[in-house]
Amino acid sequence: MDRPAKRATSADVARVAGVSRTTVSFVLNDKPGQTIPEETRRRVLEAARSLEYQPHSSARALAAGRSDIVLLSLPAMPIGAGISRFIEELATALAEHGLTLVTHLSGAQARPLPAVCATVNASAVIGFEPFDRDTTRALHSAGAAFVFPFRTDDAPAMRSVGRLQAEYLIGRGHRRIGYAMPLNRGLHAMAEDRLYGATEACAEAGIDPPVVASTDLETATAARAVTEWTARSVTGVCAFNDETAIAVLAGMRTHGLAAPDDLAVIGMDDIPTARLTVPPLTTFSFALAELSKRQAATIVAGLTGSAPRIPSEDVGPRLVERASA
Amino acid sequence: MDRPAKRATSADVARVAGVSRTTVSFVLNDKPGQTIPEETRRRVLEAARSLEYQPHSSARALAAGRSDIVLLSLPAMPIGAGISRFIEELATALAEHGLTLVTHLSGAQARPLPAVCATVNASAVIGFEPFDRDTTRALHSAGAAFVFPFRTDDAPAMRSVGRLQAEYLIGRGHRRIGYAMPLNRGLHAMAEDRLYGATEACAEAGIDPPVVASTDLETATAARAVTEWTARSVTGVCAFNDETAIAVLAGMRTHGLAAPDDLAVIGMDDIPTARLTVPPLTTFSFALAELSKRQAATIVAGLTGSAPRIPSEDVGPRLVERASA
DNA sequence: CTGAAAGCGCTAACAC
DNA sequence: GTGTTAGCGCTTTCAG
């Protein structure tokens, strides 16, 4: 906590550079269609730098009618390394186009998303959760030109997670699959999706659907889940994510069971600690970089009105084979 | 992604309510010192609601010279349940005073914090990390009236982390302490702080300062750190955080060493998976709820100019004793 | 108690 | 090519 400092305005820059504010605006925004002499341009840039000029975003937003802000809404769930990285990549990709990403953790009592959207004047909002119709409308009337809820059909990658895990296990000869659901409510919707994918894979292989058991991040509940699986002769389990998988491993340990021989377990996300377990966790990692590039491309296209130049690289999860399955 | 909708302005509200924009502004902001008749007030509120009026925050910020936005900067680290809750509480406490919290995950390549601050026009920024002098200045000139870095003297809790870890170990008879630093650059400043606390504790106990070794979240580097500690007859190590501690545990395993007998290790944070390791991790957890109430009180006081009504409950880390140390 | 008027700092037509 | 001008939507003296 310290004293504020006087901020330079575009008029100051103009004065120092000996040009008009318009010119300053043009060069600072690289306005296309204008032909500014190199010399003038240089002077303006120089003046801006020497004054540590930072455009006042509110004024800019007010005048231009849109802000450079993209709001990401995260539901109340733990932000693991996977999501962190996604966010980071997204922020980077957006930043390349001059867009700034801020996130809102939509906790229980916190302000409703539309209010936050209005307050920060976001011109696009991305949800890591689905939005209902009302929310979407409210978001628009709060000033967001674009809203991208997290749609499962948007991200083929999402549902396929469960599918890939199950297919891997089936490919290794397992005929009785278990699924470890997180007890955490915030994760439920996502987990259902993944489970659905696993169920499809089982159906296609002509085996029974996964035996699902829930667990939180405690050895005790995980141990109970393990009991259920072994009782029903499950030999391989797909865990919702790596943390859940780590819990399963811990639960197995209390029964004296070891992966992968007694029970194979496969995680999802490839969190940093996944390689530190015993045995190291076999898992999948999202091609987060690709996914976020896509999101960013879609958003940038929407915001600038340009053609959605969406990279079509493979975006599916990649297997990280270690020893647990 | 959908079509935008026309937004009502304060002029619309004024027209519908049959008053001037000034009056609208007064009643909507509860301007003190004004005496608006109940009837007028009601009409304005009614009109605002029927039009779903939402003040345009940029315009407001531009005119008023300050925004209602508080920016929280999170370093590149996993956001566990603990921190999530801290954020939620903070957002709630701030919302009670009309302030909106948004967060910025300061990843590696993302935009620098001051730029984000300028873009969202935050009037206060809180860091979950310490800020150096330059950053603080940049933040101010980016428009933040108040910046609250995570200061050790603000939060006795912070530096005391290292101290508490070391004291615990010393209390258990260890005379040769190790400190596990994260290789991750983003965590460095915070880690130095904690190490400093540990060093103090050692000095006070009359033993040598901690033997510091760095590691990232890989078994190999952790194993090297372990080698160093054992070579220098360290018997207990304080890890920067739980993840680092988990890495140390993994590193020990490759040497056939087991905690706590061969080497005691103590973490920090009490992340969910801390209880799932072998052996379960002894660690400390912050009293996040209290901490956030304080932060909110301080900020509100600063922003409103009122007296800082700060609750003085205990905010220090609490020991979570498990088996690793 | 309410309204008129002057900006906040910036962008974008439109002239010079 | 560059400057003039008119707002964007809101707050806030200052009259009435």
Side-chain angles (χ1 to χ4, degrees):
Chain A
M1 180 175 152
D2 240 300
R3 305 223 52 72
K6 197 92 235 119
R7 213 164 140 178
T9 79
S10 104
D12 296 328
V13 177
R15 184 155 19 76
V16 172
V19 300
S20 80
R21 300 230 304 294
T22 311
T23 307
V24 171
S25 177
F26 281 165
V27 353
L28 258 30
N29 295 337
D30 264 335
K31 203 81 227 263
Q34 303 295 327
T35 332
I36 310 278
E38 199 45 53
E39 165 61 12
T40 307
R41 172 186 208 67
R42 206 192 46 66
R43 275 219 315 283
V44 171
L45 258 18
E46 167 61 22
R49 195 151 29 75
S50 80
L51 292 174
E52 291 187 329
Y53 170 69
Q54 290 223 263
H56 186 117
S57 62
S58 294
R60 178 210 284 267
L62 181 55
R66 64 193 173 66
S67 74
D68 296 332
I69 298 178
V70 176
L71 178 66
L72 172 67
S73 165
L74 257 25
M77 64 179 192
I79 312 297
I83 298 182
S84 286
R85 193 159 147 240
F86 172 83
I87 296 172
E88 215 173 285
E89 301 269 9
L90 185 58
T92 306
L94 290 173
E96 276 166 19
H97 295 269
L99 266 15
T100 296
L101 183 75
V102 291
T103 104
H104 169 70
L105 289 299
S106 46
Q109 331 249 22
R111 317 197 66 176
L113 185 60
V116 176
C117 174
T119 304
V120 300
N121 212 314
S123 50
V125 11
I126 308 173
F128 223 86
E129 58 209 329
F131 296 143
D132 55 37
R133 254 202 118 36
D134 284 350
T135 304
T136 304
R137 274 214 353 194
L139 250 16
H140 277 140
S141 70
F146 297 94
V147 358
F148 306 88
F150 194 96
R151 280 205 297 253
T152 51
D153 49 310
D154 256 2
M158 179 67 1
R159 182 168 301 178
S160 72
V161 166
R163 161 180 296 276
L164 288 171
Q165 290 175 308
E167 285 175 350
Y168 178 81
L169 258 18
I170 293 168
R172 310 272 288 198
H174 295 276
R175 312 298 298 166
R176 207 93 170 80
I177 305 293
Y179 194 89
M181 289 282 279
L183 236 22
N184 185 318
R185 298 240 16 223
L187 264 18
H188 205 76
M190 202 179 292
E192 285 290 358
D193 253 359
R194 295 184 180 183
L195 170 57
Y196 188 85
T199 306
E200 286 179 332
C202 289
E204 285 165 21
I207 65 178
D208 287 344
V211 175
V212 358
S214 295
T215 180
D216 52 18
L217 273 14
E218 304 260 1
T219 305
T221 52
R224 264 198 297 283
V226 170
T227 303
E228 175 147 4
W229 288 314
T230 50
R232 305 189 44 192
S233 42
V234 164
T235 60
V237 359
C238 308
F240 166 69
N241 64 8
D242 286 346
E243 296 193 313
T244 306
I246 290 173
V248 170
L249 253 19
M252 287 170 60
R253 219 146 36 218
T254 72
H255 289 295
L257 267 27
D261 295 337
D262 300 315
L263 191 61
V265 0
I266 182 165
M268 175 66 221
D269 277 353
D270 192 22
I271 64 175
T273 51
R275 63 186 67 193
L276 302 174
T277 57
V278 249
L281 202 57
T282 289
T283 185
F284 281 93
S285 76
F286 270 119
L288 261 355
E290 305 313 329
L291 247 189
S292 52
K293 261 192 214 98
R294 292 195 151 202
Q295 265 288 14
T298 309
I299 291 165
V300 168
L303 253 29
T304 65
S306 60
R309 194 68 229 103
I310 300 177
S312 60
E313 304 166 61
D314 183 24
V315 122
R318 288 186 307 265
L319 176 66
V320 180
E321 208 157 9
R322 289 197 270 252
S324 73
Chain B
M1 180 178 152
D2 240 298
R3 305 223 50 73
K6 195 92 233 117
R7 210 164 143 178
T9 80
S10 102
D12 296 327
V13 176
R15 186 154 19 74
V16 171
V19 298
S20 80
R21 301 229 303 294
T22 313
T23 308
V24 171
S25 176
F26 282 166
V27 355
L28 259 29
N29 294 337
D30 265 334
K31 202 78 229 239
Q34 302 294 329
T35 333
I36 309 279
E38 199 44 54
E39 166 61 12
T40 307
R41 174 185 205 68
R42 206 193 47 67
R43 276 220 314 284
V44 171
L45 257 18
E46 167 61 24
R49 194 150 30 75
S50 79
L51 292 174
E52 292 187 327
Y53 170 69
Q54 290 221 264
H56 186 116
S57 61
S58 294
R60 179 209 283 268
L62 180 54
R66 65 193 174 67
S67 75
D68 297 331
I69 297 176
V70 175
L71 178 65
L72 172 66
S73 166
L74 257 24
M77 65 182 190
I79 313 297
I83 298 183
S84 285
R85 188 153 154 246
F86 171 82
I87 296 172
E88 216 173 285
E89 302 264 10
L90 187 58
T92 306
L94 290 174
E96 277 166 18
H97 294 270
L99 299 174
T100 297
L101 183 75
V102 291
T103 104
H104 170 70
L105 289 299
S106 46
Q109 330 248 24
R111 315 196 66 174
L113 186 59
V116 175
C117 175
T119 304
V120 300
N121 210 315
S123 51
V125 10
I126 309 173
F128 221 86
E129 58 208 328
F131 297 143
D132 54 37
R133 252 197 120 44
D134 283 350
T135 304
T136 304
R137 275 215 354 199
L139 250 16
H140 277 140
S141 70
F146 296 94
V147 358
F148 305 89
F150 201 104
R151 275 209 300 254
T152 52
D153 48 311
D154 255 2
M158 179 66 1
R159 182 169 301 177
S160 72
V161 165
R163 161 181 294 275
L164 287 170
Q165 291 177 308
E167 285 175 349
Y168 178 82
L169 257 19
I170 293 168
R172 310 272 289 199
H174 295 276
R175 312 298 298 167
R176 209 92 169 78
I177 306 295
Y179 194 90
M181 289 284 279
L183 235 22
N184 185 319
R185 295 238 21 221
L187 264 17
H188 205 77
M190 201 178 292
E192 286 288 359
D193 253 357
R194 296 184 178 182
L195 170 58
Y196 187 86
T199 306
E200 285 179 333
C202 288
E204 285 164 23
I207 65 178
D208 286 345
V211 175
V212 357
S214 296
T215 179
D216 52 19
L217 273 16
E218 305 258 3
T219 304
T221 52
R224 262 198 296 283
V226 170
T227 303
E228 175 147 5
W229 288 314
T230 51
R232 307 194 36 197
S233 43
V234 163
T235 61
V237 359
C238 308
F240 165 68
N241 65 7
D242 285 347
E243 297 194 308
T244 306
I246 290 173
V248 171
L249 253 19
M252 287 170 61
R253 219 145 38 219
T254 70
H255 289 296
L257 266 26
D261 296 336
D262 299 316
L263 191 62
V265 2
I266 182 163
M268 174 67 219
D269 278 352
D270 193 22
I271 64 174
T273 51
R275 62 186 70 195
L276 302 173
T277 57
V278 250
L281 202 57
T282 289
T283 184
F284 282 93
S285 77
F286 275 118
L288 267 349
E290 304 312 330
L291 250 187
S292 60
K293 266 193 209 96
R294 292 194 152 202
Q295 266 290 14
T298 309
I299 291 164
V300 169
L303 253 28
T304 66
S306 60
R309 193 72 228 97
I310 300 176
S312 62
E313 303 165 63
D314 182 26
V315 122
R318 288 186 308 266
L319 176 66
V320 180
E321 207 157 11
R322 289 198 271 252
S324 73

